[in-house]
Each structure stands twice: as structure tokens, then as C-alpha cells.
Amino acid sequence: MTFEQVELELKKIFDKTTAAGKTEIILVSKEFFEQMEVKPEYRDCIPMCCRVMKKNIKEGVDEVLYHTPSWQSHTLKIKYKLPR
């Protein structure tokens, strides 16, 4: 799975949550992986999920609730403001 494919999966989650009328979403990298329509190998995808989540942080808008020093954990937790 490519970075762009994972980024598209994140966009789908943002769009679905916005369509449900929500103005924010708290996303944990493990939950992001579980919500993806296409499920690649777990162990290989979590670091990419984390990179995509981190890249999509809007400075001064979104809030990082938890991260490890490497930013490569299934526990990465970010609150994103919607719509995107």
C-alpha cells in the first residue's frame, strides 16, 4: 500500500465524519488502520498510518493528544478539526 493510498483512506474518514455532521474527530493510529477499507498487513502499515496522520496535522488547528518519541506507534492520537 502506498503513502497516497493511505492518505486517501484518511480523507475518506474525514469526509464520512464531516458528512455525519461532526466538527472534529479524535483518531488513534490503530483505529485509523481498523477503519480503512483496504487492510494491508498490520505490522507494515501502522508506521505509514502514523506518517500520514502526522503529515495531515494543521498547525494551530489540530491537536496532538499523544505520541511516542518516534511518532511510529499504534497509540498515536490526534484531534483533527473538520471539515478539511
Side-chain angles (χ1 to χ4, degrees):
M1 182 164 240
T2 67
F3 186 89
E4 291 77 20
Q5 289 170 313
V6 175
E7 200 162 41
L8 180 59
E9 293 291 325
L10 181 61
K11 183 182 180 326
K12 288 178 189 177
I13 291 170
F14 287 158
D15 291 348
K16 183 178 177 181
T17 306
T18 300
K22 299 191 178 176
T23 59
E24 66 183 29
I25 182 173
I26 295 175
L27 199 57
V28 177
S29 55
K30 181 180 178 187
E31 295 168 1
F32 169 34
F33 171 80
E34 291 170 352
Q35 290 180 44
M36 290 172 56
E37 292 176 11
V38 179
K39 293 216 173 44
E41 174 80 23
Y42 174 81
R43 186 181 53 135
D44 296 333
C45 190
I46 287 296
M48 191 177 309
C49 289
C50 293
R51 287 191 301 274
V52 167
M53 288 175 64
K54 184 178 179 186
K55 179 185 176 260
N56 280 273
I57 295 171
K58 290 185 178 179
E59 194 70 36
V61 176
D62 301 323
E63 182 180 354
V64 177
L65 302 176
Y66 179 80
H67 72 86
T68 61
S70 71
W71 287 79
Q72 300 288 311
S73 169
H74 65 280
T75 58
L76 175 62
K77 187 176 190 178
I78 301 171
K79 183 193 301 184
Y80 296 98
K81 297 291 183 181
L82 300 172
R84 300 306 272 189

